Every structure is written in structure tokens, then in C-alpha cells.
Amino acid sequence: MKKVRAEVSLYDPIGIDKEGNEISLIDILGTDPELVADLVESSFERRRLLKTINKLSTRERKVLEMRFGLHNNGKKTQREIAKELGISRSYVSRIEKRALTKLIKEFTLENKAK
């Protein structure tokens, strides 16, 4: 409960304007409310993904980071990853599939816990 109390919604009222209307944080950010909400949600999801990726093996994590350009690195093909790691492209594919399956399972478990 303590953690939830500290959370703030972009739509919570933060004051009243000159006409007596409630103002929320989303109103004063100066951009389309849906865009801001999407950016905030995307940022939280990215952090959640990066945290969950740390539960993978070193090799699985490395393959996903290279494949999807995580940590602001460029995306690489399976062939490029295979060459860099000195393994076959099909092995990269199997590692990628196994890692993605683990992530999906982890996210599913987290969502059920909520």
C-alpha cells in the first residue's frame, strides 16, 4: 500500500484554472494528452522489459540485446549475431526463441500477480 500511495496519475487534479475548472498534469504538459500518456507508458514498459531481461542467461540476454537493438545499439540480423558470437544462425534463432518464450512467460506471470 505504501508504494501505491506514492503513485501519481497524469489525470489526477492538481489545481483549478481562472474559470474554476480542474487542471490535471496532462493539461499543462503542452502536448496531446494521448501522446504523453503513450510516451510515459512506453518508458515504463521499456524499464520493465530491461529488468525482466536480467533474469535470462548471459547468452540469451546478449542475443536479444543485439537482435532488437536494446541499450541504444543498432539492430542486427541473426546472421550478423552468429558471425559475431561464432555460432550458427540456426543456433541464434533457437536462443532467441527460447529467450522470448521465457520473457513472455515472465510477463504473463507478472500480469496474473497484479
Side-chain angles (χ1 to χ4, degrees):
M1 287 304 290
K2 188 175 184 180
K3 184 178 179 183
V4 174
R5 272 187 273 155
E7 292 179 6
V8 177
S9 170
L10 293 173
Y11 300 97
D12 286 344
I14 59 169
I16 299 174
D17 66 9
K18 293 181 227 175
E19 289 87 35
N21 300 316
E22 280 189 343
I23 300 173
S24 62
L25 185 58
I26 199 82
D27 295 328
I28 62 169
L29 289 175
T31 188
D32 180 19
E34 289 183 21
L35 178 62
V36 173
D38 289 346
L39 287 172
V40 170
E41 183 177 349
S42 177
S43 174
F44 281 113
E45 289 299 321
R46 181 175 173 81
R47 276 191 248 149
R48 182 176 167 212
L49 172 64
L50 293 175
K51 179 181 170 189
T52 305
I53 281 179
N54 288 327
K55 296 179 181 180
L56 300 175
S57 73
T58 304
R59 180 163 269 187
E60 290 168 338
R61 187 172 48 249
K62 178 91 172 151
V63 166
L64 289 187
E65 287 171 353
M66 294 169 76
R67 186 77 169 113
F68 298 104
L70 303 177
H71 305 298
N72 298 321
N73 298 323
K75 297 177 184 179
K76 295 186 179 186
T77 64
Q78 289 180 346
R79 186 168 268 105
E80 291 170 327
I81 296 168
K83 186 175 181 180
E84 191 171 320
L85 297 179
I87 58 179
S88 70
R89 191 222 42 90
S90 63
Y91 190 47
V92 170
S93 178
R94 287 194 301 272
I95 293 169
E96 179 183 337
K97 183 177 180 180
R98 183 176 58 238
L100 291 173
T101 301
K102 286 180 180 181
L103 287 178
I104 290 168
K105 184 178 179 182
E106 190 69 32
F107 279 118
T108 302
L109 290 172
E110 283 181 22
N111 288 336
K112 286 182 180 178
K114 288 182 179 181

